[in-house]
Amino acid sequence: MKCDKCDQPATVHLIEIVNGKKIEKHLCEQHATEDGVAVKMSAAPINELLEKFVLKHSPSQEADEVQACADCGMTWEQFRKRGLLGCPGCYAAFDDALMPLLERAHEGGNCHIGKAPRCAGTDELRQQRLMQLRRELEQAVASEEYEKAAGLRDQVNQLERDQK
Amino acid sequence: MRGGGPHSDVVISSRVRLARNIAGFPFLSCASRAQRDELVDIARRHVLGSGIAESMLWVDLPDSPPMDRQLLVERHLISRQHSQGNEPRGVAIAIDESVSIMVNEEDHLRIGVLRSGMQLDDGYAHANQIDDILEGKTDFAYSSTFGYLTACPTNVGTGIRISVMLHLPALVLTGEIEKVKRAAKDMHLAVRGFYGEGTESTGDFFQVSNQTTLGRSENEMLDDFQMGVIPKIIEYEHAARHALADRRAHVLDDRIHRALGLLTHARLLSGDEALALLSHLRLGVTMGRLKDIDLVSVNELFLLTQPAHLQKIAGQSLDGEQRRRFRAEFVRKRLGASRSTGSG
Ligand SMILES: [Zn+2]
Ligand SMILES: [Zn+2]
């Protein structure tokens, strides 16, 4: 629903009874404030209300110290916003920051128990190598270096064959 | 969904899902269009080429009409999320609908196995076997610390989601359902509605599933469900049904016959109303208080009265008002036929 006075979406809705007649008002935040039916203050964060202050972020190990994932480039901040990791390498990259979150989500569980792939162990190094090759391949294709891409694709295929 | 299976008076279906990602690729949030295409190619090739089921369908979702996608959602073969958007993705479905493998949903692969009634062991055995087959074809992202690596850290580890769909009308009627829900939540289990993820439970149907995947093995989780929580809930529901039949039979029969009356005479039926009435009808059938309607017919009606199914049956698209009319007409006919040809 649009504001009665402009094209902004109406966020304040009022019903008044004047002389036995029902009057409805639908206003955007700005017009509601101008009409005096809403007080803007309550909605605004404190740092927008005060005119002068010193802002000090408490040291958050999360945002400041965690390096972006080297494999996919995802930052810890981006992960916090989306809730989804960028690649398998993110688990190792965000290891420390992720741990408390994992423990909360899994009733204290922080280490895998259960099924493992048949060739687990030797896998992890090869998986990293595969990831790297595929990234280079992606770049080669993007920059139209097709010969290089073909070579990389051969390496990927070779590596995938080796596993079995 | 349509068949019976063990404990089918209370348990509608058992479902096991494994989340897997193909090694060497980023998760989907960071994958390029070309990589998503490649993932679909790889997954389709391996899934269709490994004899997982006698016949498998492949549905390329961006190419399929909206009505088809909706139909797959209504059959619980894909998630609502997977039915939307135009990024490369698809689903492989065993022709008997016991297996559905979603490709490029939140993870590269979501291996899903569905069984009627209480059959989690069988369901997991099948999912595990499919996982083994696919693992022989491609490498899955895995670390010895974190297990199978998934896009969302809440699925990491076993990547397993065990869900059981329950029909608990007596616990709803007696009001004891809240206790059951609280107990399930205390055990860190999620309780969802008929339409799954993101829905409140609708009416008398509850989907109970695990929320944790790291630090406990698949078999421990399965045991929790099979020896612990599900038999307990079945027992409570049975006790509530017996209590109703013993002490408030007239109330119980009123509910059941009122539902039958409305279903066989209404001229307009909304989806929610149909779901609520069919639930009471199902209660009457499973308790032997409605003798000339069979459970299979009732179970089928749950499926067929959903919007996309109705429109397929009608052979045309219907707006909301037309759907309510057509649904009422369809249910009247079905129940009329079922009653006159029934054995009762
Ligand atoms: Zn305005
Ligand atoms: Zn990453």
Side-chain angles (χ1 to χ4, degrees), chain A residues 61-78:
Chain A
Q61 53 161 41
E62 287 197 346
D64 298 345
E65 290 167 24
V66 181
Q67 300 243 319
C69 171
D71 288 343
C72 71
M74 178 164 284
T75 65
W76 179 250
E77 283 291 290
Q78 283 171 332

Side-chain angles (χ1 to χ4, degrees), chain A residues 2 6-7 15 22 30 33 36 66 84 91 136 144 150-152:
Chain A
K2 279 181 185 169
C6 72
D7 277 338
I15 297 174
K22 194 170 97 175
Q30 189 193 337
T33 313
V66 181
L84 295 173
Y91 279 94
E136 286 170 21
E144 303 186 2
L152 286 164

Side-chain angles (χ1 to χ4, degrees), chain A residues 2 23 38 41 123 139:
Chain A
K2 279 181 185 169
I23 298 173
M41 259 190 31
D123 270 14
Q139 282 161 1

Side-chain angles (χ1 to χ4, degrees), chain A residues 72 74 79 82-88 91-92 95 98-99 101-102 105-107 109-120 123-124 126-127 130-131 134 138 153 160 163-164, chain B residues 23-27 29-30 32 35 38 106 128 131-132 135-136 138-154 156-158 188 212-218:
Chain A
C72 71
M74 178 164 284
F79 162 64
R82 304 159 85 169
L84 295 173
L85 293 163
C87 78
Y91 279 94
D95 196 341
L98 212 46
M99 202 50 98
L101 201 140
L102 286 172
H106 298 279
E107 289 177 73
N110 57 20
C111 187
H112 175 55
I113 297 172
K115 183 173 183 177
R118 262 163 298 179
C119 44
D123 270 14
E124 286 171 49
R126 206 187 56 249
Q127 290 192 3
L130 254 180
M131 189 76 179
R134 283 201 189 276
E138 184 83 351
R153 184 163 294 283
E160 281 183 334
Q163 84 175 86
K164 305 299 162 195
Chain B
F25 284 90
F27 296 140
S29 64
C30 279
S32 66
Q35 285 174 323
E38 198 180 346
E106 188 178 285
N128 191 34
D131 184 45
D132 284 343
E135 188 201 291
T138 185
D139 220 2
F140 290 137
Y142 176 87
S143 101
S144 47
T145 316
F146 296 117
Y148 290 96
L149 304 176
T150 53
C152 182
T154 55
V156 77
T158 53
H188 300 272
T212 65
T213 48
L214 187 62
R216 305 194 59 221
S217 71
E218 293 85 352

